[in-house]
Amino acid sequence: MAGAYDEMGGTDGQLRSQYEVVQAWLDDTPPDLLELKRREADALFRRIGITFAVYTEGGDPERLIPFDMIPRVLDATEWASLRRGLEQRVKALNAFIGDIYNGQEILRAGRVPERLILTNPQFRPEMMGFQPPQGVYTHVAGIDMVRTGPNDFYVLEDNCRTPSGVSYMLENREVMMRLFPDLFRRAHVAPVAHYPEELFETLRSVAPPRCRGEPRIALLTPGIYNSAYYEHSFLADEMGIELVEAADLVVEDNVCYMRTTRGLTRLDVLYRRIDDDYLDPLVFRPDSMLGVPGLMHAYRAGNLTLANAPGAGIADDKAVYCHVPEMIRFYLGEEPILRNVPTWECAKPDDLKYVIEHLAELVVKVVHGSGGYGMLVGPHASTAEREAFAARIKARPADYIAQPTLALSTVPTFVDAGVAPRHVDLRPFVLVGQEVRLVPGGLTRVALKEGSLVVNSSQGGGTKDTWVLEEMD
């Protein structure tokens, strides 16, 4: 996109200092060797089994997520600012979720419209009047961010339910270190390999108060057909905890047990990677074969911690997102460090009118959507596509929000024609327990098609290693 900020060359085309090592590496590495290393990386990912399931395109749903070898680099100052903003934002989001289910002060104060919450499909009345251990609802948050200038970072959306992608962040780093050890010796890159340890300590810190001794933790997966199953098994293995499915668990007398060859073993913390609807057939969808009957009773009885908490998805809503800056002011008494992307809510008549009139300039998203589905990128859509989408918006305006088409920053990417700029976003992972924990960087997703702004893996995007350079004394 014309005018996009080049993270390597800056605004004046001069090489930015944090990319000096990368540029020297590219200068010293022949293109045929880069191509050989790319094929090596693909072979490594296939051997490890890092795939992402796409069930909407026919053929084999298991796809290898494209990996780009040229890292995206942030310096220590940039990361320090992002870290402060991420910690602030996730603290406010947790306070908001807790308030929605206990008191609803922000609604009574008129700072967030009731209609966005009480009729929202992600609002769970079953959570009313209940506070989880440490008052934490979102233990693992993935905050999607974009950049448009040297100091212009924006939050694109919040993922507070079951954010995925951290395994790709970790494996990207592992593969880069294996393929280019000399490059890492020259650079001073902050490590990320300790994320599983940080996640384990976060889960450990939110065990139920009545837990005695070392808490027993497991990861609940929907099973091998889930698109993120690789990540579930990877994280369970890295943390040294059991990976379980519904059939492995049973609830008796409001206590959750895991079936083992030695009999039933009590569980204290369940890192669940199953959506709310399928979690407990006695409370949510009665036809769910993925959940555990009685799980919510064990949770509400204080015998089990569920991470993330049921109902945390209320903060994922793209219309609720508009009000996060106000949440920060309301709960923390602070001004937001990180900015939202300007957003029009189609449920508001004036906003709807503007969106319909400027559809060719905007990105329109489904309020409850994810994965890049159900969205319209106005500048890249045909007249017929825009007209059809306008009809959908008019029919159900509350289902849509719109944002300007941002000139997302670009980073150098190895493509068929050589090295070329491609648009990227960033998903840092924020862990919340007794304390807030972040590993430096996050998952950089890259739109591999020239000019494309859609970075989602399910829509043909790829990933990069994200470097945060450590400060040198």
Side-chain angles (χ1 to χ4, degrees):
M1 178 185 291
Y5 176 68
D6 179 358
E7 295 195 16
M8 189 172 187
T11 55
D12 55 6
Q14 298 297 309
L15 182 68
R16 299 175 69 226
S17 60
Q18 58 260 55
Y19 274 94
E20 288 174 355
V21 171
V22 173
Q23 184 63 67
W25 166 64
L26 290 174
D27 291 341
D28 294 341
T29 309
D32 57 344
L33 180 56
L34 280 178
E35 176 57 34
L36 179 64
K37 291 292 186 180
R38 177 163 71 168
R39 291 200 297 270
E40 239 183 281
D42 285 351
L44 281 170
F45 279 112
R46 287 193 186 279
R47 194 177 310 144
I48 296 168
I50 306 176
T51 58
F52 187 89
V54 180
Y55 296 106
T56 57
E57 299 175 8
D60 183 2
E62 293 296 330
R63 311 291 171 83
L64 190 71
I65 295 182
F67 168 68
D68 183 66
M69 299 177 300
I70 304 177
R72 192 246 193 104
V73 187
L74 302 171
D75 67 24
T77 302
E78 289 170 331
W79 175 246
S81 177
L82 288 179
R83 179 181 182 120
R84 288 193 299 273
L86 289 164
E87 290 181 353
Q88 179 195 59
R89 191 174 183 97
V90 174
K91 285 178 182 177
L93 286 168
N94 264 299
F96 167 72
I97 301 168
D99 181 28
I100 288 304
Y101 296 113
N102 295 275
Q104 301 184 341
E105 292 181 9
I106 200 166
L107 302 186
R108 290 191 281 109
R111 308 286 275 275
V112 173
E114 283 192 5
R115 63 175 172 79
L116 290 183
I117 307 302
L118 303 184
T119 61
N120 193 306
Q122 293 302 320
F123 175 70
R124 304 295 181 184
E126 298 84 0
M127 288 293 292
M128 290 296 291
F130 175 73
Q131 284 198 355
Q134 309 293 335
V136 178
Y137 291 80
T138 290
H139 307 80
V140 184
I143 308 298
D144 289 347
M145 307 193 64
V146 295
R147 185 178 195 174
T148 61
N151 301 303
D152 298 320
F153 288 91
Y154 292 89
V155 174
L156 195 60
E157 62 182 57
D158 304 292
N159 297 281
C160 297
R161 272 177 288 184
T162 53
S164 63
V166 74
S167 61
Y168 307 117
M169 174 190 80
L170 296 171
E171 293 290 18
N172 287 351
R173 176 62 56 83
E174 178 67 23
V175 168
M176 282 292 290
M177 293 180 72
R178 194 180 303 187
L179 292 178
F180 306 107
D182 291 341
L183 180 59
F184 276 88
R185 277 193 284 270
R186 279 184 272 164
H188 300 278
V189 185
V192 297
H194 57 296
Y195 176 88
E197 178 185 334
E198 300 282 10
L199 175 58
F200 180 82
E201 289 302 322
T202 295
L203 298 173
R204 187 172 173 271
S205 75
V206 293
R210 58 185 67 174
C211 171
R212 297 291 178 263
E214 188 65 24
R216 287 170 289 271
I217 306 169
L219 191 155
L220 176 61
T221 176
I224 61 172
Y225 298 109
N226 184 266
S227 63
Y229 180 74
Y230 169 80
E231 176 159 298
H232 305 164
S233 59
F234 173 87
L235 287 175
D237 185 57
E238 289 290 312
M239 287 190 286
I241 64 176
E242 294 294 331
L243 180 69
V244 297
E245 298 182 29
D248 300 315
L249 304 180
V250 63
V251 175
E252 295 181 358
D253 298 325
N254 291 338
V255 175
C256 182
Y257 296 95
M258 177 175 61
R259 293 185 171 98
T260 74
T261 55
R262 299 180 301 279
L264 297 180
T265 298
R266 180 169 177 159
L267 283 179
D268 302 298
V269 181
L270 201 55
Y271 178 30
R272 56 100 178 196
R273 297 295 294 263
I274 291 179
D275 288 344
D276 291 356
D277 285 338
Y278 301 95
L279 196 56
D280 184 342
L282 298 182
V283 176
F284 302 118
R285 285 186 56 154
D287 61 342
S288 172
M289 302 295 291
L290 302 175
V292 182
L295 204 60
M296 283 295 291
H297 295 302
Y299 180 51
R300 288 192 60 99
N303 295 322
L304 178 72
T305 295
L306 293 174
N308 291 344
I314 194 70
D316 283 8
D317 187 281
K318 292 180 178 63
V320 173
Y321 154 92
C322 302
H323 301 275
V324 176
E326 193 58 36
M327 294 176 200
I328 293 170
R329 298 183 187 101
F330 187 80
Y331 297 113
L332 306 182
E334 301 169 358
E335 281 302 307
I337 297 170
L338 298 175
R339 290 177 286 177
N340 273 16
V341 177
T343 304
W344 291 270
E345 298 178 66
C346 294
K348 298 178 178 178
D350 288 347
D351 284 15
L352 174 63
K353 182 174 183 294
Y354 180 89
V355 170
I356 297 299
E357 291 175 352
H358 296 82
L359 209 53
E361 308 162 19
L362 302 173
V363 175
V364 186
K365 301 177 182 179
V366 180
V367 165
H368 308 306
S370 63
Y373 294 106
M375 65 186 290
L376 177 83
V377 182
H380 294 175
S382 67
T383 300
E385 287 170 334
R386 289 196 293 267
E387 288 175 352
F389 215 91
R392 274 186 259 167
I393 298 171
K394 290 175 183 175
R396 299 182 63 89
D399 288 354
Y400 296 91
I401 57 97
Q403 296 171 331
T405 309
L406 298 178
L408 305 189
S409 63
T410 63
V411 297
T413 302
F414 189 54
V415 296
D416 290 340
V419 178
R422 291 293 185 266
H423 297 291
V424 291
D425 77 351
L426 177 67
R427 177 177 288 184
F429 295 92
V430 187
L431 303 174
V432 186
Q434 283 185 337
E435 59 184 273
V436 180
R437 302 165 182 259
L438 288 88
V439 297
L443 178 66
T444 287
R445 301 182 297 180
V446 54
L448 294 172
K449 296 176 184 176
E450 185 175 3
S452 174
L453 298 172
V454 182
V455 300
N456 302 78
S457 303
S458 55
Q459 303 288 306
T463 65
K464 285 175 169 286
D465 191 12
T466 309
W467 289 9
V468 173
L469 301 185
E470 294 181 313
E471 285 185 302
M472 300 304 297
D473 295 332

